[in-house]
Structure formats: C-alpha cells, structure tokens
Amino acid sequence: MSKIYLIRHGQTDWNRAGKIQGMRDIPLNEAGREQARRLAEGMAGRPVARVFSSSLQRARETAQILADSQGIPLYLVKGLEEISYGDWEGMSMEEIRQRFPNEFAAWWEDPVKGAPPKGESQMDVLIRSARAMEAVKANMAEDSAEAVAVVSHGATICCILSWLLKDQVPEELSVANVSVTTIGYDPVTGICELEALNDVRHLGQRMM
C-alpha cells in the first residue's frame, strides 16, 4: 500500500480569531510556523517522495517547511485551495448568522449544494479537489512513489476524504491545524483506506 498524507495548514491569526478565511490569502502566524516545524519533525520517520500544496500562502508555507525538512520538491496544485465563502470571508459564524440570516439558514440546511453569496458549495469543491487528487495519483503512478504529502485546508480535506473513501467516511469528520490524516492507497486497484484521522501527536500537549 502506498501512503497519502493529507495535512491541514498551520494556524493563522484568523484561525485564532474565529474568522472565516476561505480564499483569502492569510499567512501563518508565529504559532502556525512553530506548528509546521513540529509537523516536519513528526514526519521525519515518514519520508515522502514529494509534497503537493494549495497555492494559498498558509498552506504553501506549511508545505515548504515540510518539503525543506526532507529535501524534496514542493508542487502547487490547482484545486487544493480552501472553499470560497464569498461575501462571508473575514466574518465569524455569529456575524454571518446576524448579517445574512436567510442565506445562512439555506446554506446550513444544504451545504453540499447550497453556497454563500459569491461563494462555492461543497459539491463545487469536491469536484475541483477530486481533479487535483487525480493529478496527484497520476504523479505517484508515473514515478512509483510510495508516499506523498498533500497540504490543504479544513473543508477541502473533508471533501477529498469524501471522494477518496466513498462509503467509509467517518461520521465525525474534522481536521485540526497541521493534523495528519493517513490514507492507504493501492495504485493497482485504486482502493483507498483510512489508516489515521486528524493525528496531532507531533504537536505535544503545549500546542494542542
């Protein structure tokens, strides 16, 4: 079995403040950079052939720290970016409920097909992230890579897991900053299996 490590980016100031980031290009804060360094240390025993990342800088910086630690290439892949929350970006959930009560209620009822104003639905993200992961798997097959890391975003990783695992998706699905979710992948059959979800042991107690 090959391995695909799905990794969420490190913390940003907007994460800490509870603001919706979406496609806003928010950088890591210092805590996020330290998380990324801890991630790299934790991945030392899990070598990967290459790192693929969203182009948004919070993911890209996390991915670069990991790639540099293993001396391997980093590739930016279109489609791994976070879901666009459109007009809601920069607000907290409570602010969204107050300012967009009808739109929020409709989205909350059906986030798979519904979308924030000027934003994307989960289905939109599932389709584009699935294309991105097909490119990742094709790259793995071309070079017979045994393991790769994919650095992305919370909502996007959940969509990727829904696509990769089909009917094996856990009921409780969430991923913390710099968590590692491990997928066993058989490149011959295309079958994927969840081996570990939301692993943050590399952070230790002080940063969890």
Side-chain angles (χ1 to χ4, degrees), residues 29-93:
N29 58 21
E30 192 47 50
R33 294 184 188 97
E34 177 59 23
Q35 288 176 338
R37 290 188 283 269
R38 296 278 188 97
L39 166 72
E41 291 171 3
M43 289 292 292
R46 291 178 278 186
V48 295
R50 57 191 60 83
V51 180
F52 301 95
S53 176
S54 154
S55 62
L56 295 175
Q57 60 180 320
R58 57 191 184 272
R60 189 174 70 243
E61 187 174 359
T62 303
Q64 191 68 65
I65 290 170
L66 173 58
D68 288 348
S69 74
Q70 297 203 14
I72 55 175
L74 168 62
Y75 298 92
L76 303 182
V77 180
K78 184 176 176 57
L80 293 177
E81 297 81 14
E82 180 62 295
I83 185 170
S84 170
Y85 286 97
D87 290 343
W88 296 353
E89 292 178 358
M91 302 182 196
S92 68
M93 279 295 192

Side-chain angles (χ1 to χ4, degrees), residues 188-206:
V188 176
T189 64
I191 292 173
C192 292
E193 296 180 358
L194 179 63
E195 296 186 359
L197 175 66
N198 197 34
D199 182 359
V200 290
R201 288 173 295 175
H202 47 276
L203 289 180
Q205 292 298 318
R206 286 183 302 149

Side-chain angles (χ1 to χ4, degrees), residues 2-7 39-40 42-53 62-75 136 139-140 143-151 180-183:
S2 298
K3 305 287 187 191
I4 299 174
Y5 299 110
L6 298 173
I7 300 169
L39 166 72
M43 289 292 292
R46 291 178 278 186
V48 295
R50 57 191 60 83
V51 180
F52 301 95
S53 176
T62 303
Q64 191 68 65
I65 290 170
L66 173 58
D68 288 348
S69 74
Q70 297 203 14
I72 55 175
L74 168 62
Y75 298 92
V136 168
N139 188 288
M140 292 178 71
D143 293 343
S144 300
E146 294 185 1
V148 298
V150 176
V151 182
V180 180
T181 293
T182 304
I183 302 295

